[in-house]
Amino acid sequence: MGTAKVRDGRLKLRPIGTIRSTIKDRKGAPKQGSEGAPDAWLEVNSFAARGFEGICKGEELFVVTWLHRGRRDVLQVHPRSDPKRALTGVFATRSPDRPNPLGLHRVTVRK
């Protein structure tokens, strides 16, 4: 999650925080949040904290994340990691393996 700048045709992201969770590896993560994902929290970097003023408990937000463990050289996957399913382009799936590893998450502010 961060701010972006374009310089010399390249996009530069500046993180505004870090997502923390009890999940420590990809194998332990559910394929969908509705499949038992634990709560996670956003540790906001101090320079960005004022940008969150006015956001209240119970509000829904969209959080953009950088899927830092995703592979950048993958263009096709078997959906849900099931080899019985046909290879499908990563942009038609929720795979974290993709050239632009951005995740979009609908979240509810808990506190």
Side-chain angles (χ1 to χ4, degrees):
M1 192 163 103
T3 59
K5 290 182 185 180
V6 177
R7 184 185 310 162
D8 301 323
R10 295 181 61 100
L11 182 66
K12 180 179 179 182
L13 297 175
R14 180 179 183 198
I16 63 169
T18 302
I19 302 294
R20 302 287 182 205
S21 168
T22 57
I23 297 172
K24 299 303 177 198
D25 60 46
R26 285 178 51 171
K27 289 182 182 179
K31 301 288 186 196
Q32 301 284 340
S34 62
E35 296 176 352
D39 284 348
W41 56 98
L42 170 62
E43 291 180 359
V44 178
N45 294 341
S46 60
F47 82 87
R50 288 182 41 204
F52 287 86
E53 289 179 11
I55 295 175
C56 299
K57 180 179 177 180
E59 288 188 47
E60 289 189 343
L61 305 174
F62 286 97
V63 176
V64 177
T65 60
W66 183 260
L67 305 172
H68 65 288
R69 294 185 181 173
R71 291 179 44 205
R72 309 295 187 268
D73 61 341
V74 175
L75 293 176
Q76 292 185 316
V77 295
H78 295 282
R80 300 189 64 82
S81 302
D82 182 353
K84 294 177 186 170
R85 292 182 170 202
L87 281 173
T88 303
V90 293
F91 301 121
T93 73
R94 292 182 48 88
S95 174
D97 297 323
R98 53 185 57 232
N100 59 347
L102 297 174
L104 182 63
H105 313 274
R106 185 175 178 180
V107 302
T108 302
V109 177
R110 302 268 174 133
K111 64 178 184 177

